[in-house]
Amino acid sequence: NAGVTQTPKFQVLKTGQSMTLQCAQDMNHEYMSWYRQDPGMGLRLIHYSVGAGITDQGEVPNGYNVSRSTTEDFPLRLLSAAPSQTSVYFCASSPVGVFGKLFFGSGTQLSVL
Amino acid sequence: KNEVEQSPQNLTAQEGEFITINCSYSVGISALHWLQQHPGGGIVSLFMLSSGKKKHGRLIATINIQEKHSSLHITASHPRDSAVYICAVGGNQFYFGTGTSLTVIP
């Protein structure tokens, strides 16, 4: 099992560009989620999904879109990147939501110039 | 407004010391998680608690639901325990503390 695979590891964007961060898991987990980690602020939930076709907003959803067409994949889209979106992004999955062990991807370091 | 508060923010210990990291939360929760973030950035789950106490090797985690408080203890600390330890609480969604940076000196 690969666990949670997150790509890319590093990305530099210009303001206004769009991109998609990929997240895939091979553990058949229903719960998947995206977080951003900023210095001094801890991890913050962006969006989450409790199953294919179901997504919901977290604490900081503005500027980000998600979709969940399959159990395995949960991509995060930045439609028009802004410098405030410079951060480290983590994807995580769990078999049973908040009651399950969280499995994290290795993270994406994103810089928006 | 921080739903999850951790203390201390930074902790330096000598190898072999007993370590305690505290987590207090203000929201209603269904479960509390302790995570470890390695110096390279990777995050792994240590414990999930909804009540009582759990032990895994030298790590012990406790939770007091009434007081909205959890502690993570490390017995006989070792330099390889050096990492950031993060408390996360889950109700409708997850909220995270800002982490406790632990350095264990040989």
Side-chain angles (χ1 to χ4, degrees):
Chain A
N1 284 353
V4 179
T5 303
Q6 192 179 332
T7 57
K9 290 192 183 299
F10 301 95
Q11 184 71 50
V12 179
L13 293 177
K14 294 181 179 178
T15 297
Q17 286 185 318
S18 63
M19 79 158 296
T20 299
L21 278 64
Q22 301 292 344
C23 178
Q25 51 91 10
D26 62 358
M27 298 172 283
N28 202 34
H29 288 172
E30 292 297 327
Y31 182 89
M32 296 186 74
S33 49
W34 276 102
Y35 306 89
R36 58 178 292 172
Q37 186 176 40
D38 301 295
M41 300 198 70
L43 290 155
R44 290 182 292 168
L45 178 65
I46 304 171
H47 286 284
Y48 66 99
S49 168
V50 297
I54 306 168
T55 63
D56 208 345
Q57 296 180 351
E59 191 180 352
V60 288
N62 293 340
Y64 307 95
N65 273 3
V66 292
S67 60
R68 183 96 180 268
S69 56
T70 66
T71 299
E72 294 77 21
D73 299 298
F74 190 45
L76 178 72
R77 296 182 187 86
L78 283 70
L79 300 178
S80 179
S84 60
Q85 293 178 305
T86 293
S87 187
V88 180
Y89 292 84
F90 288 95
C91 175
S93 72
S94 164
V96 284
V98 299
F99 288 104
K101 179 178 177 179
L102 281 168
F103 292 81
F104 283 84
S106 56
T108 297
Q109 191 163 330
L110 175 67
S111 295
V112 183
L113 306 177
Chain B
K1 169 177 173 288
N2 294 326
E3 289 83 4
V4 183
E5 298 279 357
Q6 282 184 241
S7 63
Q9 282 190 301
N10 297 287
L11 182 56
T12 300
Q14 292 288 333
E15 183 174 356
E17 285 187 9
F18 180 88
I19 289 163
T20 296
I21 299 169
N22 296 299
C23 174
S24 297
Y25 53 92
S26 59
V27 294
I29 71 168
S30 300
L32 182 142
H33 296 248
W34 282 102
L35 311 172
Q36 181 191 53
Q37 186 165 26
H38 299 293
I43 302 173
V44 295
S45 175
L46 298 175
F47 293 103
M48 190 283 293
L49 294 161
S50 55
S51 65
K53 175 180 175 178
K54 284 191 177 179
K55 183 175 189 291
H56 183 198
R58 295 180 294 105
L59 302 179
I60 303 167
T62 64
I63 186 169
N64 185 318
I65 298 292
Q66 287 73 30
E67 294 187 3
K68 294 190 173 181
H69 182 269
S70 175
S71 293
L72 176 68
H73 306 285
I74 304 175
T75 61
S77 59
H78 190 276
R80 64 175 174 267
D81 297 326
S82 298
V84 175
Y85 293 83
I86 300 169
C87 173
V89 299
N92 293 329
Q93 58 177 276
F94 280 105
Y95 295 96
F96 296 80
T98 54
T100 295
S101 179
L102 171 65
T103 302
V104 181
I105 300 170

